[in-house]
Amino acid sequence: MKLGFLKSCLALVPVLISLAQGYEIKNLPLDTPWTHTSGTDAWPEYPRPQLQRSQWKSLNGLWNWKEGAGADEVLMNIVPLPDTLAHEVLIPSCLESALSGIQKTNMTYSWFARRFEVPEGWTDNGNRVMLNFEAVDYIATVYVNSQRVGDQVGGYWHFSLDITEFLLHGNNTLQVSVFDPTDAEGYQIPVGKQALSPSHIFYTPCTGIWQSVWMESVPSQYITQLDVAAGMDGRINMTVGTSGGASNSSFQVTVADTRGNRVAYANGTVNRPFTFVVGSPHLWSPDDPTLYNISVTMGRDKVTSYTGFRTISVGEIDGVKRPLINGEFFFQFGTLDQGFWPDGIYTPPNREAMVYDLQQLKDLGFNMFRKHIKVENALFYQACDQLGLLVIQDMPSMPANGMPSDSQQAEWERQLDILITQHRNYPSIYTWIIYNEGWAQRTDYYPEAALTQRVKQLDPTRLVDATSGWHDHGYGDWHDNHHYANPQCGTPFYSTQSTPYDPTRMAIQGEFGGIGNNVSIEHLWNVKAAISTVNQTYEIDLTIQDWNYRAHLLLSELRDQVEKFACSAAIWTQTTDVEGEVNGLLTYDRRVLRPDVDQWKADIQALKDAGAARNGKAKKLRTQKLRLPAS
């Protein structure tokens, strides 16, 4: 073991994490039904369902925290010992949230620390100990026993570090330095809707370790990644990525159905694309989200995963370009889903709360939603796979009020690659969005031209919406219109901010609706600056009856556009209220459901029926072959 020389030094320094200022949920402007239900046993589920191992240990729960002094601490390797971190913080959570126990803003520099022990036997037989983070916003520098083991740039991406050589017997210390500028002047980084000065459609930011942390024991040669794409023809394209020492090893894969019956068994070579077939698979779709379990064994390493068999393509029906799922067109209708919470900000209070939002959409009849310029944890996408909700996934945008330099653009594009490679295995994701409404979209050239091709190279199995909203130059599979409150989907009329419908591409109403209904203070984000922006909502309807009436008119207008024109999909704004916005199906606290359920179900079914009436015999223009890029 390294750091043997530190033992005597550490023994002289009391590690008094337990003496930190005790954890408690802070007073918050608004809570949810789940705010006080989970305690400090935060997110106990295994965090990575598509690469799961049996030997693991959660590091979620209470850590210690203090504000950092600046970049020099990291540059000079000045790593504070745990007893100097005087506040307990709940991990995972955003520092700005009440659930964190901190609830502070503008925390550009922070330190997090906790003690941990490695379970007995985890390093036997040459096994390695991997430390895994689901997401840290924005730059994380990770130390074990005050020794730097790795860094990560990007607030939405999971990463793993081999910490074996840095471990001591018995107690160990994990320390993480975090730098998060959010949208501070001079910084153009992927932030989505986070803002240091929240206002109306820009919200409270998230800083720190906001998704799960865990460790696991792996053999010296182990599986690092599974890429799986399963098509409606039963073909599974798979690449098993491994650590360097296993570059030419073989693996065995087993596929089982929901009853546990083995439906396929095959052998392949790691780090090379591999194809095998499952005969007559039960296909995945929103109406029937059937999943198959996968087990992969390489030497002493075994991981489990899952997939769904489905094919996404573009077809032509009666002269109109249509999105096809398993060769069929059906109307795709969903909400703009922001993924913010009054108690946890970016981090839902628990899995039950997270799934509640999705179940509400499913119960109303939605079959899709747009995950808006935010990336969720892996359990979120697993829930979409299980429930049968198609996902349009945005790349988190840079701040809307700035324009990136060449180096900032290159870094954002690097992280776009990560979005695709880390999320292309989820059956529910069917479209990638590159730009939203021109936010930080370079105008001196058309970056979306090359980026559309890049996304297609990384993932040829899905659709690409290059520019959702405007600054559309004809790239991607979708022509995407934004208009409030009325839709303009595939129509011969359009607003000056959009462009005329392009019949060479499919038509989607990327945003519409946005109608609001104010509520009493017990359901509002009780922050004066937020309440003062409520009147910026696109439209305010005085009563809930008026709100439902207006929604019925707008959905009827959309139905007309499905019947008469080329509309294939639409996004209603939005799933929930967020801070100063009161245009959600649900209030921000998730306690009030605005829709008249019977009316909305009928209106959504009418949209589906209108789409079905347009579903003549499909002349398939192309079916994107399910293949993976060369490793």
Side-chain angles (χ1 to χ4, degrees):
M1 291 283 183
K2 292 184 178 180
L3 307 181
F5 73 96
L6 281 178
K7 290 183 179 179
S8 58
C9 298
L10 290 173
L12 298 176
V13 181
V15 184
L16 302 175
I17 292 181
S18 61
L19 298 183
Q21 182 176 323
Y23 169 78
E24 62 178 358
I25 298 174
K26 297 297 186 183
N27 293 328
L28 68 170
L30 186 67
D31 67 1
T32 71
W34 305 273
T35 301
H36 301 281
T37 62
S38 296
T40 57
D41 183 22
W43 288 88
E45 300 86 0
Y46 188 88
R48 192 181 56 198
Q50 288 193 328
L51 188 66
Q52 185 164 347
R53 291 185 173 88
S54 59
Q55 201 166 39
W56 74 288
K57 180 178 180 180
S58 175
L59 295 178
N60 292 340
L62 293 182
W63 289 43
N64 276 19
W65 171 87
K66 78 166 187 175
E67 185 175 2
D72 287 347
E73 287 183 312
V74 173
L75 292 173
M76 299 176 65
N77 248 6
I78 302 173
V79 185
L81 292 170
D83 61 313
T84 66
L85 278 63
H87 300 271
E88 285 191 323
V89 61
L90 185 65
I91 299 299
S93 64
C94 306
L95 289 178
E96 293 83 354
S97 71
L99 281 178
S100 71
I102 304 300
Q103 203 177 27
K104 293 180 180 291
T105 58
N106 296 305
M107 293 293 101
T108 307
Y109 297 94
S110 292
W111 282 100
F112 299 81
R114 63 159 291 158
R115 297 177 70 190
F116 69 96
E117 292 188 2
V118 176
E120 190 72 26
W122 269 29
T123 57
D124 291 350
N125 302 313
N127 280 12
R128 316 296 295 178
V129 177
M130 301 300 297
L131 175 65
N132 305 298
F133 293 82
E134 269 288 279
V136 182
D137 197 356
Y138 172 69
I139 297 178
T141 306
V142 181
Y143 303 81
V144 172
N145 296 317
S146 298
Q147 295 294 296
R148 189 170 182 168
V149 298
D151 306 88
Q152 163 71 12
V153 177
Y156 298 95
W157 324 121
H158 63 73
F159 63 100
S160 300
L161 299 167
D162 185 341
I163 63 172
T164 313
E165 300 303 323
F166 300 89
L167 295 171
L168 300 172
H169 294 292
N171 288 326
N172 291 270
T173 299
L174 171 58
Q175 298 139 306
V176 182
S177 170
V178 176
F179 168 67
D180 183 18
T182 312
D183 61 344
E185 185 177 355
Y187 289 94
Q188 286 289 117
I189 63 175
V191 292
K193 286 202 166 184
Q194 301 179 70
L196 293 175
S197 299
S199 178
H200 192 44
I201 66 168
F202 298 100
Y203 318 129
T204 301
C206 176
T207 296
I209 305 171
W210 68 282
Q211 292 188 19
S212 289
V213 187
W214 78 104
M215 60 182 181
E216 59 192 343
S217 177
V218 300
S220 56
Q221 297 180 357
Y222 60 94
I223 297 167
T224 59
Q225 184 171 339
L226 288 182
D227 284 320
V228 180
M232 62 182 289
D233 60 358
R235 292 170 61 86
I236 296 181
N237 284 1
M238 175 182 289
T239 301
V240 177
T242 64
S243 58
S247 57
N248 295 309
S249 300
S250 62
F251 68 86
Q252 298 76 47
V253 57
T254 301
V255 181
D257 63 19
T258 54
R259 297 182 298 275
N261 299 318
R262 192 173 83 173
V263 297
Y265 178 84
N267 294 278
T269 302
V270 300
N271 301 308
R272 298 179 188 174
F274 172 72
T275 301
F276 63 102
V277 177
V278 172
S280 303
H282 198 116
L283 301 186
W284 185 98
S285 71
D287 291 335
D288 190 3
T290 300
L291 298 173
Y292 285 77
N293 294 316
I294 295 174
S295 175
V296 178
T297 302
M298 183 200 70
R300 294 191 295 113
D301 198 16
K302 180 179 180 179
V303 298
T304 57
S305 187
Y306 69 87
T307 193
F309 290 85
R310 54 95 182 104
T311 296
I312 299 160
S313 59
V314 177
E316 184 174 298
I317 301 175
D318 297 332
V320 178
K321 301 296 192 306
R322 300 291 192 187
L324 305 181
I325 311 296
N326 300 327
E328 297 294 328
F329 166 65
F330 55 85
F331 189 75
Q332 294 137 34
F333 187 48
T335 58
L336 195 72
D337 194 78
Q338 310 275 10
F340 276 77
W341 296 81
D343 42 17
I345 309 300
Y346 247 26
T347 307
N350 55 34
R351 185 183 184 278
E352 178 188 356
M354 178 184 75
V355 173
Y356 176 83
D357 280 7
L358 301 174
Q359 189 65 59
Q360 292 300 304
L361 298 181
K362 192 72 177 178
D363 289 347
L364 285 169
F366 291 99
N367 55 19
M368 175 265 279
F369 67 90
R370 176 185 172 193
K371 175 47 62 178
H372 191 37
I373 50 180
K374 182 196 176 190
V375 180
E376 301 286 0
N377 64 33
L379 294 171
F380 177 90
Y381 298 100
Q382 180 192 40
C384 297
D385 296 338
Q386 294 168 336
L387 288 171
L389 280 166
L390 290 166
V391 180
I392 296 178
Q393 177 63 56
D394 289 19
M395 171 61 188
S397 63
M398 292 180 278
N401 60 352
M403 200 57 64
S405 65
D406 289 346
S407 61
Q408 290 168 337
Q409 177 73 19
E411 174 58 23
W412 184 79
E413 292 181 10
R414 181 190 73 85
Q415 294 191 38
L416 173 63
D417 284 5
I418 297 174
L419 169 69
I420 308 303
T421 57
Q422 290 193 355
H423 296 86
R424 61 189 173 193
N425 290 337
Y426 298 107
S428 54
I429 297 177
Y430 81 115
T431 292
W432 305 109
I433 289 181
I434 299 174
Y435 281 110
N436 175 70
E437 294 186 347
W439 295 2
Q441 183 179 348
R442 293 278 291 265
T443 56
D444 52 337
Y445 68 106
Y446 299 161
E448 69 272 20
L451 292 177
T452 299
Q453 293 304 311
R454 175 63 177 163
V455 172
K456 289 284 190 180
Q457 290 169 359
L458 290 171
D459 181 10
T461 72
R462 288 181 177 84
L463 308 173
V464 177
D465 187 342
T467 54
S468 183
W470 39 86
H471 294 357
D472 179 36
H473 302 111
Y475 300 100
D477 298 299
W478 295 97
H479 180 267
D480 190 331
N481 178 289
H482 289 192
H483 190 255
Y484 290 100
N486 307 70
Q488 299 176 338
C489 186
T491 66
F493 44 86
Y494 62 98
S495 63
T496 55
Q497 284 185 316
S498 189
T499 54
Y501 166 59
D502 174 5
T504 67
R505 294 178 291 162
M506 300 175 295
I508 182 172
Q509 188 67 45
E511 295 180 24
F512 83 112
I515 58 176
N517 166 247
N518 210 345
V519 290
S520 52
I521 191 65
E522 62 264 29
H523 300 297
L524 284 172
W525 179 247
N526 193 4
V527 173
K528 184 177 180 181
I531 292 174
S532 68
T533 65
V534 165
N535 62 0
Q536 295 180 32
T537 303
Y538 301 105
E539 171 184 307
I540 295 288
D541 302 314
L542 291 181
T543 71
I544 196 64
Q545 291 78 19
D546 298 330
W547 184 87
N548 275 288
Y549 169 71
R550 285 288 294 142
H552 173 68
L553 292 183
L554 294 173
L555 294 179
S556 297
E557 191 172 346
L558 179 64
R559 184 198 65 222
D560 288 344
Q561 293 175 14
V562 178
E563 291 175 344
K564 298 177 184 299
F565 305 117
C567 187
S568 291
I571 303 293
W572 177 274
T573 302
Q574 57 189 335
T575 306
T576 73
D577 295 352
V578 186
E579 299 190 5
E581 290 191 278
V582 291
N583 53 4
L585 302 179
L586 289 157
T587 52
Y588 198 22
D589 61 359
R590 275 70 171 179
R591 287 188 170 93
V592 177
L593 181 67
R594 288 191 176 93
D596 177 316
V597 172
D598 290 340
Q599 173 199 305
W600 274 74
K601 283 185 175 181
D603 285 339
I604 292 174
Q605 186 59 49
L607 289 170
K608 293 178 179 178
D609 292 344
R614 301 294 303 273
N615 193 13
K617 186 177 180 181
K619 297 176 181 178
K620 197 172 298 183
L621 287 181
R622 65 179 184 273
T623 297
Q624 299 157 337
K625 291 182 179 180
L626 288 177
R627 62 179 177 81
L628 294 171
S631 298

